Amino acid sequence: MFRLGLLVCFYNDLELLDATVAQVLLHQMIKCSHLRGFQAGVQKLKAELLDIATENQTLNETLGSLSDAVVGLTYSQLESLSPEAVHGAISTLSQVSGWAKSQVIILSAKYLAHEKVLSFYNVSQMGALLAGVSTQAFCSMNCKDLSQVLRSAISQYLSDLSPAQQQGILSKMVEAGDTASGIVEIQGAFFKEVSLFDLRRQPGFNSTVLKDKELGRSQALFLYELLLKTTRRPEELLSAGQLVKGVTCSHIDAMSTDFFLAHFQDFQNNFALLSPYQVNCLAWKYWEVSRLSMPPFLLAALPARYLASVPASQCVPFLISLGKSWLDSLVLDSHKKTSVLRKVQQCLDNSIADEYTVDIMGNLLCHLPAAIIDRGISPRAWATALHGLRDCPDLNPKQKAAVRLKLLGQYGLPQHWTAETTKDLGPFLVLFSGDELSSIATKFPEILLQAASKMARILPPKEFLWAVFGSVRNSSDKIPSSDPMPGCHGVAAPSSDDIFKLAEANACWALEDLRCMEEDTFIRTVELLGAVQGFSRPQLMTLKEKAIQVWDMPSYWREHHIASLGRIALALNESELEQLNLSSIDTVAFLTQQTEWSPRQAESILQGFLDDSGYNIQDLKSFHLVGLGATLCAINITEIPLIKISEFRVVVARIGTLLCSTHVLAEFKRKAEVVFGDPTEWTSPVLQELGTIAAGLTKAELRMLDKDLMPYFQPSAIKCLPDEIFKELSAEQIASLGPENAAAVTHAQRRRLSPLQLQSLQQALDGAKTHSWQDAPASAGPTRTSSSRSPAGAPLSWDLWLGCPLLVLMAKFLW
């Protein structure tokens, strides 16, 4: 058995196995998680071995010896466990990955029931089960123990906590008066939850302390400016990773030429952290001080006409430089992107001759026009190009059609493909029609399933999903139940195995199939079904009825039931939502993970929490506000003033992610004024922290904002601004929006703009230089001297070269 290695994952001789051997096999199967594309078979084998391993023994006795197969236990099996058994097996349970939410909730409750008191020691043993600790339990912990949690190895699991749980931990530390030391100890992504209000109150930050912390943009803007005033080595700030998010145009312009060129690599190393506006500022700075040595990709951040400055001799560096970045994040305007791609085609001479050209293009391969894919890639370069195209996240319909035709020309129709060809072309199977895929589904169902399993991050086309669905249904046993429900006679209902294999293709089940699903199958797969994005409203309604059939009426549901529903919960009507026990903010937080609630459903959830918990609006803590999520948008605007300022001010950024109505946002904006002062006093970190709350500004307040603050609106706030208010912005303010915010302007907002405002909007989209940098702080790095801008020391203007053919001819002659 030990010599089988990965072959153990395909073991199928189960008839003569006893419980002890089954347990050993399960332990050996831990390594099976490394196999790609065979997880459905592995899960089925583990489930069969699990049944054998627990024969003639109770789960309490065998729990610690079941390895990672314990994730296959149903919630009813887990509920049957004693607290002592969970405590005894915690070293195994805490290291297992793949737990469902409902399982984590049950096991954590069992473990903590044995421990009685929540201390650092017993929390440190929980590992992957940490997310099952309630927000209220975290708040009941000793602050010293919480500090140890933040410093210890268990902190790696903090990212698994809900925003409400994370805010509960932060609020406890603030309440204990230990904010300074507590904030410094917070590592990684958890640090982003620290409010701008708390940061502003705390001294003691330096670039070294911040290196291992992930920063929000409002935090970075505040901290970079703060540290810039005290540091003697500004270059340390640029090399501190996340702090680069806080560098403004003013800071960039204040850098001397020598300092900027010497430390530009720090920006380039952290390019993924920069906003399109920052890249635009860097591009203008480089153009201004050393355009001849400018990294060619930065030209894409300048207005389109500057692309003409790339001579044929610089095409290769231009393509390599641009190919290392993602064009969609660098250029947001479709017209400008067309100009960039036209320059790329010009450099390529509309063809790709060899593998070398494919390599230098990098990510630009994903933007090749359909015509070049179809006719411009030589046979010599096609294999390499095809390998690059498989990593493209979002080809347009014309590109997909061109790739499909190219593949048909090379390999013929899919019904003639071999298994090897089908496997090689796995990522491109989504390009083919249902009829073309039907033969693949029949001949190579496993390969089709493997291809589908690798598309977890995207929603495949419906035709592809139907092909996957057909392949699974055709290969399954399809044995009707011996004791069917009324109306289900002869219906081959979904099995657990089918549902696990299908993933997103579960959206293809007929309503009758879902209605006839066996109760045990529903219990085992409810979380998988709740994660399917493609379910229609009638399908969700059918699954909700199945949940009521299995678990009884919603008034009997417990937290782990609600947590497991996922999108199925969206089918609950107002009356059913009112029946739920919503006394725990963690239960509410599971519901508010869904974003498709109607206003009336959201109101029912909000009111249900207030009624069941006994809280009034004025009693709500910061973690309650976070856990309520989008249901806060259903709050009566007369009640918003009742929210305590002390709680509101530490969750402004979270509330600023909500897409509430204009009236609700306006009321939250008034509350923000109590925290941050009059809108005329707001700074870039404040505006960034407020998010959509800034869309509650009045016409007069919006007009009074300095144009240099416009890039620091969040794009979501721009979209939330009512059309009649957005049109009150001056042409100068609109021109200063920056590329990202300009791209967020809606069609309805555009229609209300004057010709002058539209011209300004196009300037912002194009990356025209409209920023005011004259007020740059003197401490933003070594400042440039007057000679650094001297016309005598600068190269001859490229605009002059481009505008005068005679000078170009003279230059060629002299060369």
Side-chain angles (χ1 to χ4, degrees):
M1 204 184 304
F2 291 103
R3 291 160 56 197
L4 282 173
L6 282 174
L7 289 176
V8 76
C9 308
F10 305 96
Y11 192 91
N12 61 1
D13 187 13
L14 305 181
E15 290 181 10
L16 301 178
L17 289 184
D18 62 23
T20 303
V21 177
Q23 290 172 14
V24 176
L25 271 173
L26 284 173
H27 184 71
Q28 292 297 305
M29 289 186 71
I30 290 176
K31 61 175 75 78
C32 297
S33 60
H34 300 301
L35 287 175
R36 291 187 301 174
F38 295 96
Q39 289 306 304
V42 168
Q43 292 300 324
K44 185 177 181 181
L45 178 56
K46 281 185 177 181
E48 292 171 342
L49 288 170
L50 190 60
D51 289 339
I52 297 171
T54 54
E55 277 180 1
N56 303 320
Q57 298 179 78
T58 66
L59 268 180
N60 285 329
E61 294 170 327
T62 57
L63 185 63
S65 59
L66 298 179
S67 189
D68 64 351
V70 288
V71 298
L73 297 173
T74 66
Y75 73 84
S76 56
Q77 289 174 306
L78 294 176
E79 284 190 307
S80 71
L81 293 169
S82 69
E84 291 74 22
V86 173
H87 183 267
I90 194 65
S91 60
T92 298
L93 301 176
S94 63
Q95 295 179 52
V96 172
S97 60
W99 288 114
K101 296 172 188 172
S102 58
Q103 293 174 312
V104 170
I105 292 169
I106 294 168
L107 288 171
S108 295
K110 294 278 185 185
Y111 175 71
L112 295 176
H114 180 273
E115 292 296 334
K116 309 300 181 190
V117 178
L118 200 59
S119 65
F120 165 69
Y121 174 76
N122 50 45
V123 167
S124 68
Q125 306 300 304
M126 296 186 73
L129 301 180
L130 185 68
V133 179
S134 71
T135 301
Q136 199 60 54
F138 279 125
C139 291
S140 69
M141 280 184 72
N142 180 286
C143 194
K144 184 179 178 182
D145 284 341
L146 270 180
S147 295
Q148 284 184 280
V149 168
L150 295 176
R151 291 194 301 267
S152 68
I154 193 72
S155 64
Q156 66 181 298
Y157 296 102
L158 290 174
S159 58
D160 296 336
L161 304 185
S162 72
Q165 290 169 309
Q166 292 180 344
Q167 183 57 43
I169 292 173
L170 284 176
S171 64
K172 176 68 177 183
M173 303 196 74
V174 172
E175 179 187 301
D178 195 23
T179 319
S181 61
I183 286 178
V184 169
E185 287 162 1
I186 296 171
Q187 302 299 320
F190 189 19
F191 189 82
K192 290 176 71 174
E193 299 300 318
V194 178
S195 69
L196 182 62
F197 177 82
D198 284 331
L199 281 186
R200 290 167 64 172
R201 293 193 303 160
Q202 302 307 324
F205 285 109
N206 58 57
S207 57
T208 305
V209 165
L210 294 168
K211 269 194 173 179
D212 297 322
K213 307 183 192 306
E214 188 174 335
L215 303 179
R217 202 161 295 277
S218 62
Q219 293 173 318
L221 285 164
F222 169 74
L223 289 169
Y224 188 88
E225 183 67 32
L226 175 71
L227 298 180
L228 201 58
K229 295 173 181 175
T230 57
T231 185
R232 295 181 179 181
R233 296 176 58 82
E235 63 272 15
E236 290 181 354
L237 304 185
L238 295 179
S239 61
Q242 296 271 326
L243 267 178
V244 77
K245 292 179 180 178
V247 180
T248 66
C249 279
S250 296
H251 297 139
I252 292 169
D253 192 57
M255 295 173 185
S256 70
T257 299
D258 291 342
F259 182 89
F260 175 78
L261 295 176
H263 298 286
F264 178 78
Q265 190 62 43
D266 289 322
F267 289 110
Q268 203 155 0
N269 291 343
N270 295 291
F271 186 76
L273 301 178
L274 301 176
S275 69
Y277 181 64
Q278 286 176 301
V279 176
N280 179 246
C281 298
L282 288 169
W284 278 116
K285 177 71 174 183
Y286 224 123
W287 180 263
E288 185 180 76
V289 301
S290 185
R291 63 191 65 174
L292 293 179
S293 65
M294 183 175 183
F297 80 92
L298 283 180
L299 288 167
L302 297 178
R305 65 181 182 276
Y306 285 79
L307 292 168
S309 64
V310 180
S313 61
Q314 288 298 304
C315 269
V316 171
F318 174 70
L319 293 176
I320 292 174
S321 181
L322 197 56
K324 288 180 179 178
S325 60
W326 285 106
L327 191 60
D328 286 332
S329 60
L330 186 63
V331 182
L332 303 175
D333 179 43
S334 58
H335 299 295
K336 184 177 176 182
K337 192 178 295 179
T338 300
S339 299
V340 173
L341 293 175
R342 194 179 297 124
K343 183 65 183 180
V344 169
Q345 293 174 62
Q346 181 186 329
C347 280
L348 292 171
D349 197 19
N350 290 314
S351 66
I352 297 178
D354 50 33
E355 304 97 314
Y356 172 71
T357 308
V358 175
D359 287 341
I360 67 173
M361 287 191 67
N363 296 326
L364 284 175
L365 202 63
C366 300
H367 299 278
L368 281 179
I372 292 184
I373 294 174
D374 188 28
R375 299 183 297 275
I377 302 178
S378 72
R380 180 181 166 189
W382 173 243
T384 308
L386 188 63
H387 189 270
L389 287 168
R390 72 175 59 212
D391 296 324
C392 295
D394 192 22
L395 295 175
N396 66 43
K398 289 183 178 179
Q399 289 173 308
K400 290 177 180 178
V403 172
R404 176 182 164 276
L405 287 174
K406 194 91 171 173
L407 292 174
L408 288 173
Q410 182 176 1
Y411 297 103
L413 293 171
Q415 58 256 41
H416 304 308
W417 292 357
T418 64
E420 197 62 36
T421 298
T422 306
K423 200 175 291 184
D424 289 343
L425 299 181
F428 300 106
L429 293 179
V430 293
L431 306 181
F432 293 89
S433 69
D435 291 339
E436 290 168 327
L437 289 171
S438 61
S439 60
I440 300 291
T442 304
K443 289 165 57 180
F444 312 119
E446 286 298 324
I447 297 176
L448 189 62
L449 281 175
Q450 287 179 48
S453 69
K454 295 172 185 175
M455 298 176 189
R457 290 176 298 173
I458 62 170
L459 190 62
K462 200 73 175 177
E463 283 190 294
F464 178 78
L465 292 178
W466 274 107
V468 172
F469 182 77
S471 73
V472 170
R473 290 298 273 164
N474 292 335
S475 61
S476 65
D477 296 333
K478 293 193 293 187
I479 301 173
S481 172
S482 57
D483 184 24
M485 292 186 299
C488 293
H489 185 73
V491 176
S495 68
S496 299
D497 193 38
D498 290 342
I499 291 170
F500 186 86
K501 288 179 180 177
L502 286 170
E504 194 59 41
N506 279 299
C508 299
W509 290 111
L511 297 182
E512 182 185 50
D513 296 331
L514 295 174
R515 185 175 62 80
C516 295
M517 187 191 312
E518 293 183 1
E519 291 189 6
D520 183 65
T521 301
F522 178 80
I523 289 170
R524 289 182 178 277
T525 62
V526 59
E527 295 209 25
L528 291 172
L529 294 170
V532 174
Q533 294 298 310
F535 275 140
S536 64
R537 185 75 180 173
Q539 287 172 311
L540 292 175
M541 291 290 288
T542 302
L543 289 169
K544 177 201 73 174
E545 293 302 325
K546 176 61 66 175
I548 292 174
Q549 176 193 324
V550 175
W551 297 333
D552 210 334
M553 296 302 292
S555 57
Y556 293 98
W557 295 359
R558 293 164 60 187
E559 183 181 347
H560 65 263
H561 294 130
I562 297 170
S564 65
L565 283 174
R567 292 190 69 246
I568 299 171
L570 294 169
L572 294 167
N573 59 37
E574 292 88 73
S575 173
E576 291 163 336
L577 287 168
E578 288 168 7
Q579 293 180 49
L580 296 176
N581 179 0
L582 299 181
S583 58
S584 165
I585 192 59
D586 298 298
T587 307
V588 175
F590 285 121
L591 292 175
T592 56
Q593 285 176 359
Q594 307 305 320
T595 57
E596 304 163 66
W597 298 107
S598 71
R600 292 183 66 179
Q601 285 176 310
E603 188 177 354
S604 295
I605 295 170
L606 174 61
Q607 195 57 50
F609 171 68
L610 294 174
D611 292 342
D612 293 346
S613 66
Y615 289 117
N616 295 312
I617 294 294
Q618 56 267 37
D619 302 324
L620 296 181
K621 300 291 186 181
S622 59
F623 53 85
H624 293 140
L625 296 173
V626 170
L628 286 167
T631 64
L632 268 181
C633 294
I635 193 171
N636 189 314
I637 59 172
T638 60
E639 293 185 306
I640 293 177
L642 301 177
I643 298 173
K644 288 181 180 176
I645 287 294
S646 59
E647 306 298 331
F648 172 81
R649 67 193 180 193
V650 294
V651 293
V652 166
R654 277 284 171 187
I655 295 175
T657 64
L658 306 180
L659 304 177
C660 300
S661 69
T662 304
H663 300 301
V664 171
L665 292 177
E667 201 57 53
F668 277 131
K669 188 271 304 180
R670 292 188 188 94
K671 205 154 194 72
E673 290 183 62
V674 181
V675 181
F676 299 113
D678 189 83
T680 56
E681 301 168 5
W682 290 353
T683 59
S684 55
V686 169
L687 202 54
Q688 186 70 203
E689 179 93 344
L690 289 173
T692 56
I693 295 174
L697 289 165
T698 65
K699 293 179 181 180
E701 290 167 340
L702 201 59
R703 281 196 296 260
M704 291 174 65
L705 283 182
D706 190 305
K707 66 182 177 62
D708 291 338
L709 286 177
M710 300 309 294
Y712 300 103
F713 274 94
Q714 286 192 29
S716 55
I718 296 295
K719 289 180 181 177
C720 285
L721 281 168
D723 308 341
E724 67 275 8
I725 290 183
F726 183 78
K727 72 181 180 65
E728 296 299 317
L729 288 170
S730 68
E732 194 176 22
Q733 285 174 311
I734 291 174
S736 300
L737 279 171
E740 194 172 12
N741 283 340
V745 175
T746 66
H747 291 295
Q749 290 169 331
R750 279 174 177 264
R751 284 198 295 268
R752 303 293 293 270
L753 299 181
S754 68
L756 181 59
Q757 287 173 312
L758 286 172
Q759 184 181 350
S760 295
L761 182 62
Q762 189 54 50
Q763 284 183 326
L765 284 167
D766 209 26
K769 185 176 180 179
T770 56
H771 359 281
S772 294
W773 294 352
Q774 292 82 0
D775 59 343
S779 58
T783 55
R784 58 186 175 196
T785 61
S786 58
S787 62
S788 70
R789 272 189 140 170
S790 167
L796 188 59
S797 168
W798 284 42
D799 292 335
L800 180 59
W801 280 101
L802 294 171
C804 185
L806 180 58
L807 281 175
V808 175
L809 288 172
M810 287 174 62
K812 286 184 176 179
F813 173 75
L814 291 170
W815 180 254

